[in-house]
Coordinates of all heavy atoms in Angstrom, one line a residue:
E145 N 64.5 -3.5 28.5 CA 65.0 -3.3 29.8 C 64.9 -1.9 30.3 O 65.6 -1.0 29.8 CB 66.5 -3.7 29.8 CG 67.2 -3.5 31.2 CD 68.5 -4.3 31.4 OE1 68.8 -5.2 30.6 OE2 69.2 -4.0 32.4
D184 N 66.1 -5.8 35.8 CA 67.4 -5.7 36.4 C 67.3 -5.0 37.7 O 66.8 -3.8 37.7 CB 68.3 -4.9 35.4 CG 69.8 -4.8 35.8 OD1 70.0 -4.8 37.1 OD2 70.6 -4.9 35.0
H211 N 68.1 -9.7 36.0 CA 69.6 -9.4 36.2 C 69.8 -8.9 37.6 O 69.1 -8.2 38.1 CB 69.9 -8.3 35.2 CG 69.7 -8.6 33.8 ND1 69.8 -7.6 32.8 CD2 69.5 -9.8 33.1 CE1 69.6 -8.2 31.6 NE2 69.4 -9.5 31.8
E255 N 75.1 -9.2 36.2 CA 75.6 -8.3 35.2 C 76.2 -7.1 36.0 O 75.5 -6.2 36.5 CB 74.4 -7.8 34.4 CG 74.8 -6.8 33.3 CD 73.6 -6.3 32.5 OE1 72.6 -6.0 33.2 OE2 73.6 -6.2 31.3
Ligands
ZN1 ZN1 70.6 -5.6 32.9

Side-chain angles (χ1 to χ4, degrees):
E145 179 163 346
D184 187 324
H211 300 168
E255 182 186 42

